[in-house]
Amino acid sequence: QAQFVESGGGLVQPGGSLSLSCVVSGGRFGIYTIAWYRQGPGEQRLFVGSIANFGETVYAESGKGRFTISRDNAKNTVYLQMSNLKPEDTAVYYCNVPRSYYDTRPAMPWGQGTQVTVSS
């Protein structure tokens, strides 16, 4: 199984930008689709978007037009670039491998996540 280490979170003002990283160890990064998820205060953990091994991306409505997912296969790393951030983007952000293209539930144990707080 793969292990995930998320980083890059922090405090940002509304309208600001932030870039998160997810380093994946173990498993077979080159064949994985990697997804980002987030869990806001008192909320369920939700799918944010994903990137397939060949680069195709899918986004939830919440991030369309504001979030961009990319990957560097040489570094076993996936990125989540977020712009025009809103207070409702405040959450702990996680990455994982989804069960399939149609099933975004995570297939592996979670990492520790990285906290993003959007506040003035």
Side-chain angles (χ1 to χ4, degrees):
Q1 286 187 329
Q3 293 82 44
F4 308 96
V5 178
E6 302 90 347
S7 64
L11 174 64
V12 62
Q13 292 187 344
S17 300
L18 206 59
S19 182
L20 308 182
S21 298
C22 166
V23 177
V24 183
S25 61
R28 298 174 65 186
F29 181 84
I31 67 169
Y32 289 149
T33 291
I34 303 293
W36 283 96
Y37 303 80
R38 69 185 186 184
Q39 186 169 16
E43 298 178 354
Q44 295 182 1
R45 200 166 300 185
L46 299 174
F47 174 81
V48 172
S50 65
I51 185 165
N53 61 330
F54 52 88
E56 181 185 11
T57 53
V58 175
Y59 297 96
E61 284 297 324
S62 59
K64 280 185 179 179
R66 300 187 300 125
F67 294 177
T68 302
I69 300 174
S70 60
R71 65 191 292 159
D72 184 338
N73 288 341
K75 296 182 178 180
N76 284 16
T77 301
V78 173
Y79 304 96
L80 175 63
Q81 176 67 39
M82 304 183 291
S83 61
N84 191 22
L85 283 162
K86 306 174 182 180
E88 51 264 42
D89 295 317
T90 294
V92 180
Y93 284 72
Y94 304 85
C95 55
N96 208 308
V97 176
R99 295 186 183 189
S100 74
Y101 184 84
Y102 300 102
D103 184 354
T104 60
R105 292 178 295 171
M108 300 188 183
W110 294 106
Q112 84 287 350
T114 186
Q115 174 72 48
V116 172
T117 303
V118 184
S119 175
S120 55

